[in-house]
Amino acid sequence: MSEADNPCYLIENKILFIPEKQCLVHTDSHEQIKLKPTASSCLLLLLRNHTEIVTQNELLAFAWGESHRQVSFNAFYQSILSLRKSFLQMNVEKQIITTIPRKGLLIQQEITIEKKWDHVVPEVEIELTDTPSVTPNKIENKKLPKLNLAEMLIIMFTVLIAGVLLYPKISSENYFSGYVASKKYDGQCHYFVNADASDYSRHEGFIKEHPEMCSDNKFLYITAYPETKNISVILCTAGMDLSHDNSCQSVYYPRYDSK
């Protein structure tokens, strides 16, 4: 693939998205955020279709490929939420990704997008796990029992089924492990806050100012930072550790000022 077929995207004149590195780079602070592969693919498709609505099925097929029909609601939703959280961390005040109810997602026309071909791709630091070296002549030559074709097929089928059943729960727990339960419960809701915030005063203030959200035993996942004005809220009918029978909606406040 030539360089012309693989551009980077400058978002709001300050965030550079590099698809081949699957990362966002702040052009001023040079802060880098590594994206998950599915989140990076979703963002790429939305950028390619700037100002146009992209349906959930189109995003699923593009990001997950042939296995997209087995992807749970939570797995897809977490990829979009991780993108929104990344833009929050980079102090982007505008809502980059907009949800159009019952239609899909889009990046609105007011968001400036510029393709860049003359960029210098920065090195993205990726933590690698050290693997102990093994000396070839010290490996014991043990004969393993051979499996017949039927046994191999049974093992492969069992692993495949286990992966399909466990993936939604594991991916959900991994993403939402970044949230911690608040010590306080207001009304009839349970609310959680992002663990990487230095304090939770804005989270608590938001709950007090919006009692209408804290009802009917709802689950609220609130992302906010003391240094920025934007707040993101995920409102669900059940906890995110449940991959079935759960309905969620997101609410984004680009310039939320506590009263």
Side-chain angles (χ1 to χ4, degrees), residues 210-225:
H210 293 274
E212 73 281 359
M213 287 190 177
C214 200
S215 61
D216 301 327
N217 203 31
K218 293 290 180 62
F219 288 75
L220 276 70
Y221 295 83
I222 306 173
T223 302
Y225 298 91

Side-chain angles (χ1 to χ4, degrees), residues 11-146:
I11 304 169
E12 285 294 290
N13 297 314
K14 61 181 178 180
I15 304 298
L16 187 66
F17 170 54
I18 309 174
E20 63 180 308
K21 294 289 185 179
Q22 297 179 343
C23 73
L24 299 174
V25 181
H26 199 293
T27 57
D28 294 331
S29 65
H30 303 294
E31 177 187 1
Q32 299 180 3
I33 293 181
K34 181 72 173 178
L35 302 175
K36 293 181 180 180
T38 52
S40 179
S41 296
C42 287
L43 180 58
L44 178 59
L45 186 60
L46 288 168
L47 289 168
R48 286 178 177 177
N49 294 274
H50 183 208
T51 74
E52 298 178 3
I53 296 176
V54 183
T55 67
Q56 179 176 323
N57 287 337
E58 289 172 334
L59 288 164
L60 285 168
F62 185 79
W64 279 267
E66 295 180 357
S67 62
H68 73 276
R69 296 186 184 277
Q70 286 75 46
V71 178
S72 69
F73 166 81
N74 276 352
F76 169 74
Y77 205 70
Q78 288 156 25
S79 293
I80 303 303
L81 292 175
S82 67
L83 287 174
R84 287 172 169 159
K85 185 175 181 181
S86 296
F87 285 118
L88 275 173
Q89 288 178 297
M90 287 198 161
N91 298 327
V92 179
E93 295 183 350
K94 292 183 179 179
Q95 182 177 358
I96 302 300
I97 301 173
T98 301
T99 300
I100 307 300
R102 296 179 294 279
K103 290 185 178 181
L105 305 173
L106 87 160
I107 297 178
Q108 305 231 27
Q109 187 173 5
E110 65 181 44
I111 304 299
T112 60
I113 305 295
E114 180 183 355
K115 289 184 180 180
K116 305 286 288 185
W117 285 274
D118 57 347
H119 63 278
V120 177
V121 179
E123 291 296 327
V124 179
E125 295 183 3
I126 304 176
E127 294 184 2
L128 300 177
T129 304
D130 293 334
T131 304
S133 59
V134 179
T135 306
N137 58 9
K138 289 186 179 181
I139 299 177
E140 296 183 4
N141 186 18
K142 294 183 179 181
K143 293 184 178 180
L144 299 176
K146 294 184 178 180

